[in-house]
Amino acid sequence: MDELLARLKVRLRFSGDVEDDVLLDHLQTAVDVVNDIRQFTPTEELIVEAQYKSVVVELALSSYAKMGAEGQIVHSENGVSRSYEDGMYPSSVLKLVIPRPRRYE
């Protein structure tokens, strides 16, 4: 998780430990979502499949950016307009996670 936290902090231009607990919470939720889609069981050594680390950082970045404006559909102020996709994460990023086919035994 340290690697993902470092990457997220770079993207947010953060330094220090001020927001670590909040950022780790966003990262863990993103990891849980990706692992659920992939049906991947994390281990101590591998919390998420390597090819999805960047997706996890993007999801955490997206949810962090929405803090204080959760559920916002449209917002306009001083010529700036914001609207968010449905759900917690952008579907454009979630589409990058390829579901693992379910095994029926």
Side-chain angles (χ1 to χ4, degrees):
M1 189 69 81
D2 291 340
E3 173 193 352
L4 297 175
L5 179 61
R7 290 175 64 182
L8 181 57
K9 288 172 106 176
V10 166
R11 295 289 306 276
L12 291 168
R13 297 185 178 107
F14 284 5
S15 61
D17 299 333
V18 177
E19 295 280 326
D20 281 9
D21 289 343
V22 173
L23 296 179
L24 285 168
D25 184 60
H26 285 278
L27 284 167
Q28 185 60 57
T29 303
V31 164
D32 292 345
V33 167
V34 170
N35 286 343
D36 184 55
I37 293 169
R38 291 286 301 154
Q39 297 180 26
F40 176 75
T41 303
T43 64
E44 286 185 31
E45 297 82 31
L46 190 63
I47 61 168
V48 68
E49 294 168 289
Q51 67 267 34
Y52 292 107
K53 287 181 179 181
S54 293
V55 173
V56 166
V57 172
E58 284 298 318
L59 293 173
L61 180 64
S62 174
S63 64
Y64 182 84
K66 290 181 180 179
M67 282 182 55
E70 294 88 347
Q72 186 175 94
I73 302 300
V74 177
H75 174 89
S76 297
E77 186 175 335
N78 295 328
V80 175
S81 180
R82 294 184 180 97
S83 62
Y84 298 125
E85 294 181 277
D86 292 338
M88 184 173 179
Y89 297 117
S91 60
S92 59
V93 179
L94 287 173
K95 287 179 185 177
L96 298 173
V97 182
I98 301 167
R100 181 174 285 160
R102 294 193 184 273
R103 292 184 182 166
Y104 297 98
E105 299 175 30

